[in-house]
Amino acid sequence: MMGEILVFVEHDQGQLSPSAGEALTAARELGERLSQKTAAVLVGQAAEGLGTMCAEYGVQLAYCLTSPVLSDYGPETWGQAIVELANQCSPSVILSVGTDRGNEVLAQVAARLGAPFAANSTVVQRGDAWEITRVQWGGSLLEDIVVDSELLIASYNHHSIEPAFFPGDNEIEVRTVGVELDPTLGRTVIRDRVTLTEGVTLSTASVVVSGGRGVGSADGFAQLEELADLLGGRVGCSRAVTNNGWRSHADQVGQTGTRIAPEIYIACGISGAIQHWVGAMASKNILAINTDREANMVTKAGYAVIADLHEVIPAVIEEVKRRRS
Amino acid sequence: MRVLVCVKRVPAPGSRINISPDQLNVDTAHLGFTTSPHEECALEEAAQIIEQHGGTVTVLTAGPTEAEEQLRYAASVGGTDFVLIPNNSGGDWDPERTANAITQAINKLEAEDGQFDLIMFGNESADAGGFQVGVRVAVALDRPIVNGIKGIEINDRVFTARREVDTGVEVYQLEAPAVLGVREGINLPRYPTMKGRLASKKAEIAIAPIEVHAGGQNKVRLHRPEERVTETNVLGESAAAAARVVDLLDELGVL
Ligand SMILES: Cc1cc2nc3c(=O)[nH]c(=O)nc-3n(C[C@H](O)[C@H](O)[C@H](O)COP(=O)(O)OP(=O)(O)OC[C@H]3O[C@@H](n4cnc5c(N)ncnc54)[C@H](O)[C@@H]3O)c2cc1C
């Protein structure tokens, strides 16, 4: 007899995270497949009101964990709170979405329960044992693993689940569970927040004009800046550029930078190494400007101009201005 | 300040990652190796910390004998002491086993030379990306840990650590002894100097064999995700392509 599926529903001070829909959808689907009950886990008093939103994804039970030390996010307090719940209800699965918090909290849970943790999974199946596919290299490779444990702790790779509302009149029961937590775990609770009000960011921009080593210098980016400004977009770059100190790391696209999904990605003087590509591959259209026709970026792009970017970009800027005037 | 940085040796593939015939590892026959980028930044941060506050930077890795290369590199960019936990099994240990080995090594190092004020990990390794070794070690040592850190300030024995989120920055304060999972972008790692290269040659590497059992995660095989095959539409081979580029921007509605 297996227990229920617990799904960690992420929120910040009572504000549901955009990833919550993915988590709830994945958990409900797994519950149906394994014929098991699914329960949302809401950590902290602030999350009590989120039950109705969980219901929209077809989850019928939520546990709201409360304690004075759960007032704001802390990886250790949140992790230990879920451990306390797991000790009470002996779940078969604990799920999350592999966001910063989703992976951090489940790593805490797994470490505290002495159980394995499969981060960033794309497939979760139960055969004789848990059979998981998970991503490696930020998405460039997949790894099939078998998890040797009754309890499966796993996060789903962020953006690999399409959130889906569940039709019908969805009722949810929210059970408040008070948990006893060692107050010393409050040592990693958020102390302060700095809110940055920015307009378009690299990850939300509809146009990204990106430069690589081929741009040649920090000054060389002025042309890319101008084009990005004209199109209401943002400037991105490759790691070769950040390593040279030409741009700040905040502009880096790729495995260890930002993942982007613009309407069009204009990649100038970027070879398209696999670690760069995983950050750019969600772009709807890609235009590569490169002197090398065989560059990976060119062969993978839908559109290309095979020429010196320092000649092409100014010409494009002129043409945009001409058509607008 | 006594700082420990845990690093991983990873292959540095170019445009494609090939898989070994037994499907268990990356085919590294024609590849160079590097230190996983987040850890390279952790090491730079540690080097800057001891430049300001004095102290030592111990660099530890669990890996094959060849991982000595990464420890020697660490010596050229600010590391002062070096420890290799040998794993010559031909593949990675699972995350529980790795964490267990590192925890035991830390216990030994601390018994000999005193507690580390700060232990740093990379947020996740570049290859396996398990997102857990640092957390497991911190929990085993009962020390505070926060991941995803892109800024560290030190005041007395308190580390103020910053983590970037979509809407801004979260600020955490951890008292020593503490553990942090660091992200690339926290700093710009230095390149080795002549003096650094010399230090690298002279560095003594302590070998710390540790017996650990396998954890519950067993690799079956590696494979590649389905690749999208794209027909590239070449818009031109000179600046004259600008008109067609702007046509495209117009079609996509971004003009
Ligand atoms: C673990 C790991 C993680 C990494 N993470 C990232 C990451 O997050 N993001 C990232 O970008 N990289 C990452 N990298 C680095 C990556 O492997 C490449 O080294 C890097 O992306 C190369 O940058 P580049 O394309 O600008 O430079 P290069 O590979 O040197 O390519 C330069 C390109 O510019 C072209 N060119 C030169 N001059 C011109 C010109 N005048 N006009 C037009 N084209 C020109 C050349 O033909 C070439 O294609 C990572 C590496 C590792 C090992």
Side-chain angles (χ1 to χ4, degrees):
Chain A
M1 175 65 197
M2 295 215 287
E4 59 206 340
I5 297 170
L6 296 180
V7 56
F8 168 65
V9 176
E10 202 178 317
H11 71 92
D12 189 50
Q13 297 179 309
Q15 192 82 34
L16 203 66
S17 150
S19 68
E22 290 174 52
L24 289 158
T25 304
R28 193 202 62 228
E29 186 274 331
L30 186 64
E32 279 168 7
R33 218 156 16 95
L34 302 179
S35 311
Q36 281 175 48
K37 212 161 76 179
T38 302
V41 180
L42 300 163
V43 185
Q45 199 85 47
E48 217 172 11
L50 299 177
T52 43
M53 291 199 222
C54 296
E56 290 181 21
Y57 295 92
V59 172
Q60 292 166 356
L61 175 64
Y63 295 108
C64 182
L65 311 180
T66 62
S67 148
V69 278
L70 292 172
S71 55
D72 200 348
Y73 177 73
E76 292 182 287
T77 45
W78 284 39
Q80 184 61 33
I82 296 175
V83 167
E84 298 291 328
L85 176 67
N87 286 339
Q88 288 178 32
C89 70
S90 309
S92 58
V93 184
I94 305 177
L95 286 181
S96 74
V97 169
T99 57
D100 277 0
R101 283 191 187 180
N103 279 334
E104 183 174 45
V105 169
L106 288 207
Q108 281 282 347
V109 172
R112 288 164 191 277
L113 289 171
F117 167 44
N120 299 344
S121 309
T122 55
V123 180
V124 173
Q125 281 173 324
R126 175 85 206 185
D128 292 336
W130 291 108
E131 293 163 5
I132 311 292
T133 301
R134 58 177 299 275
V135 310
Q136 286 205 353
W137 287 97
S140 304
L141 280 191
L142 296 170
E143 175 191 28
D144 292 345
I145 57 172
V146 167
V147 176
D148 187 12
S149 164
E150 269 310 304
L151 168 64
L152 174 71
I153 303 176
S155 65
Y156 270 94
N157 193 33
H158 195 13
H159 300 309
S160 66
I161 306 283
E162 195 62 49
F165 288 128
F166 192 71
D169 44 333
N170 302 321
E171 296 271 320
I172 190 163
E173 179 196 350
V174 180
R175 283 186 210 157
T176 302
V177 180
V179 285
E180 294 263 352
L181 296 176
D182 177 353
T184 57
L185 293 181
R187 63 196 176 182
T188 44
V189 170
I190 292 183
R191 288 304 165 90
D192 199 7
R193 286 181 167 74
V194 185
T195 311
L196 303 176
T197 41
E198 242 185 310
V200 189
T201 66
L202 198 53
S203 55
T204 60
S206 60
V207 178
V208 175
V209 183
S210 215
R213 198 191 307 275
V215 175
S217 67
D219 293 341
F221 273 87
Q223 294 172 348
L224 278 66
E225 290 274 4
E226 189 178 352
L227 181 59
D229 281 349
L230 273 174
L231 301 173
R234 294 289 301 231
V235 168
C237 69
S238 72
R239 186 162 177 253
V241 167
T242 22
N243 276 351
N244 277 323
W246 298 345
R247 304 286 300 182
S248 125
H249 183 272
D251 294 343
Q252 183 177 312
V253 172
Q255 184 182 339
T256 50
T258 302
R259 277 138 201 272
I260 58 169
E263 190 59 36
I264 184 163
Y265 182 51
I266 306 178
C268 314
I270 296 177
S271 65
I274 188 107
Q275 304 89 355
H276 184 82
W277 177 252
V278 292
M281 66 185 180
S283 306
K284 294 188 191 61
N285 296 280
I286 296 178
L287 166 64
I289 303 177
N290 202 305
T291 43
D292 176 9
R293 183 186 280 277
E294 300 307 318
N296 199 48
M297 200 73 222
V298 172
T299 57
K300 281 185 167 167
Y303 304 91
V305 175
I306 311 300
D308 187 333
L309 69 97
H310 296 294
E311 289 165 16
V312 180
I313 300 287
V316 172
I317 290 170
E318 281 320 303
E319 182 65 14
V320 170
K321 286 182 179 164
R322 194 185 64 79
R323 292 205 199 176
R324 281 187 181 164
S325 65
Chain B
M1 182 94 22
R2 233 167 98 69
V3 186
L4 175 73
V5 184
C6 299
V7 305
K8 185 174 182 186
R9 170 184 169 89
V10 298
S15 59
R16 192 182 162 88
I17 305 178
N18 291 318
I19 297 167
S20 65
D22 66 3
Q23 294 190 302
L24 288 175
N25 292 296
V26 169
D27 181 357
T28 56
H30 305 287
L31 295 182
F33 287 81
T34 183
T35 303
S36 192
H38 298 311
E39 288 117 76
E40 215 180 312
C41 291
L43 180 57
E44 173 63 32
E45 199 65 18
Q48 291 182 15
I49 288 172
I50 65 158
E51 277 161 10
Q52 262 189 19
H53 300 266
T56 55
V57 176
T58 304
V59 186
L60 175 128
T61 191
T65 308
E66 292 81 5
E68 208 185 296
E69 182 190 340
Q70 278 59 49
L71 294 178
R72 292 210 176 272
Y73 184 81
S76 73
V77 289
T80 59
D81 299 272
F82 311 93
V83 184
L84 172 68
I85 305 172
N87 163 18
N88 288 309
S89 65
D92 271 3
W93 284 338
D94 66 79
E96 287 170 273
R97 189 171 188 175
T98 306
N100 191 341
I102 293 174
T103 306
Q104 287 190 45
I106 292 172
N107 283 332
K108 251 165 77 183
L109 293 169
E110 292 194 335
E112 286 159 12
D113 294 310
Q115 197 168 55
F116 292 107
D117 302 295
L118 177 63
I119 300 174
M120 281 193 274
F121 287 87
N123 195 65
E124 85 277 358
S125 61
D127 51 357
F131 287 86
Q132 56 191 285
V133 168
V135 173
R136 287 187 188 276
V137 171
V139 169
L141 297 171
D142 189 18
R143 290 183 200 175
I145 177 167
V146 181
N147 269 338
I149 296 307
K150 272 196 159 181
I152 302 172
E153 269 167 52
I154 306 176
N155 222 313
D156 253 343
R157 294 187 47 79
V158 177
F159 302 100
T160 300
R162 296 158 67 88
R163 156 149 124 189
E164 284 176 11
V165 291
D166 282 346
T167 48
V169 175
E170 295 171 352
V171 182
Y172 298 86
Q173 276 182 339
L174 285 69
E175 223 170 286
V179 188
L180 293 172
V182 167
R183 273 237 158 96
E184 185 180 70
I186 188 173
N187 53 42
L188 189 56
R190 71 194 64 184
Y191 290 102
T193 56
M194 267 317 269
K195 194 167 145 240
R197 290 210 181 86
L198 227 76
S200 155
K201 285 213 182 80
K202 283 200 257 163
E204 277 181 37
I205 292 170
I207 308 292
I210 286 169
E211 287 277 331
V212 269
H213 297 296
Q217 178 172 326
N218 308 295
K219 192 191 289 184
V220 178
R221 72 178 183 119
L222 293 176
H223 49 112
R224 238 193 304 270
E226 248 175 73
E227 277 172 60
R228 183 168 76 175
V229 186
T230 313
E231 197 67 52
T232 308
N233 181 355
V234 177
L235 302 178
E237 306 204 353
S238 72
R244 294 189 65 193
V245 169
V246 180
D247 288 345
L248 172 66
L249 297 175
D250 200 10
E251 255 169 59
L252 298 177
V254 297
L255 191 58

